[in-house]
Each structure stands twice: as C-alpha cells, then as structure tokens.
C-alpha cells in the first residue's frame, strides 16, 4: 500500500521532470538560436556572419545550457527549500547569462572565407 503523501510526492517529481524536459528540449534550443541571431542583428552583422556563429557555437552553447541548468534544477527541486528556490535560480541565471553573453560576443567563430584565403596566400608567399 502506497501512502497518499508518497504518491503525491511522486506526482510532483513527475510534473517537475516533464516541465524540465519541455524547457530544456523545446524552449532552450529555440532561445539560444534567437538570442544569438538578435544579438548579432543588433550589432549590425550580416546574415553570413550570423549563420557562421550559429554553425560554430550553437551546439556547444545548447549542451553547456543542459550541463548547467539540468543539474541546477534537479538540485533546486530536490534540495533547496521552497523559500530559497528563486534566489538559487537567479544565481544560476547570472552565471548562465554571463556565459551566454561571452559566447555570443566572442569573435573566435568569425572566420570568413576571405580571411582563410588571405592567410593561405600569405603562407604560400613566405
């Protein structure tokens, strides 16, 4: 016989897992692509530059999102007292947003075909 409290607790965990899955599998990937695109548009970058950054960084950023948010939310729902959950999420969000801003504004991914041609031409002439 399962107690009502145990069944209710399992239902809450089941709902939390479903919400986490929807958030991380649907919302997060869309948000990352939208954020990178809008950030680059506001900086006046071309569609080719935006596409290059998405190709170079998107997968890494989404995986990092999962590495940060999934364990954080599991800890939040399992260990953090209710009155401290918002503060805990805000601290994780600060860390995540700092990382996301860094990746979105880094220039490591911007290697156009012109840069590659110039580099290869210079090395051939030396």
């Amino acid at each position: 016989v399962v107690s009502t409290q145990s069944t209710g607790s399992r239902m809450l965990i089941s709902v939390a897992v479903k919400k986490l899955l929807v958030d991380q599998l649907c919302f997060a990937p869309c948000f990352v692509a939208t954020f990178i695109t809008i950030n680059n548009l506001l900086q006046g970058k071309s569609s080719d530059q935006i596409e290059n950054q998405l190709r170079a960084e998107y997968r890494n950023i989404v995986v990092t999102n999962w590495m940060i948010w999934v364990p954080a939310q599991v800890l939040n729902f399992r260990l953090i007292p209710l009155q401290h959950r918002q503060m805990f999420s805000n601290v994780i969000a600060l860390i995540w947003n700092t990382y996301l801003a860094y990746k979105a504004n880094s220039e490591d991914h911007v290697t156009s075909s012109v840069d590659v041609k110039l580099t290869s031409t210079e090395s051939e002439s030396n």
Side-chain angles (χ1 to χ4, degrees):
V1 176
V2 177
S3 72
T4 306
Q5 186 174 6
S6 175
T7 304
S9 178
R10 273 191 251 153
M11 285 176 57
L12 287 176
I13 291 171
S14 173
V15 169
V17 168
K18 287 176 186 174
K19 287 181 179 182
L20 181 63
L21 286 173
V22 168
D23 178 54
Q24 292 302 311
L25 296 176
C26 298
F27 176 72
C30 294
F31 172 77
V32 168
T34 302
F35 178 82
I36 290 171
T37 302
I38 291 172
N39 183 57
N40 282 309
L41 286 172
L42 291 172
Q43 292 179 15
K45 294 187 180 174
S46 70
S47 60
D48 287 340
Q49 289 173 309
I50 295 169
E51 184 179 341
N52 287 341
Q53 184 174 17
L54 285 169
R55 287 186 190 280
E57 301 287 346
Y58 177 77
R59 183 177 293 133
N60 183 34
I61 293 172
V62 171
V63 169
T64 303
N65 173 74
W66 293 336
M67 290 170 36
I68 292 172
W69 280 108
V70 171
Q73 290 297 58
V74 169
L75 284 174
N76 200 17
F77 289 127
R78 299 290 288 162
L79 301 175
I80 306 297
L82 182 60
Q83 68 269 24
H84 300 299
R85 287 182 184 169
Q86 185 67 45
M87 180 63 75
F88 179 79
S89 291
N90 287 343
V91 169
I92 301 302
L94 177 64
I95 294 165
W96 168 246
N97 289 330
T98 302
Y99 168 80
L100 186 57
Y102 168 76
K103 293 301 278 184
N105 293 297
S106 69
E107 296 294 329
D108 296 338
H109 60 275
V110 182
T111 304
S112 69
S113 57
V114 174
D115 294 336
V116 173
K117 288 177 186 175
L118 286 175
T119 306
S120 64
T121 304
E122 289 172 0
S123 62
E124 289 173 4
S125 64
N126 290 333

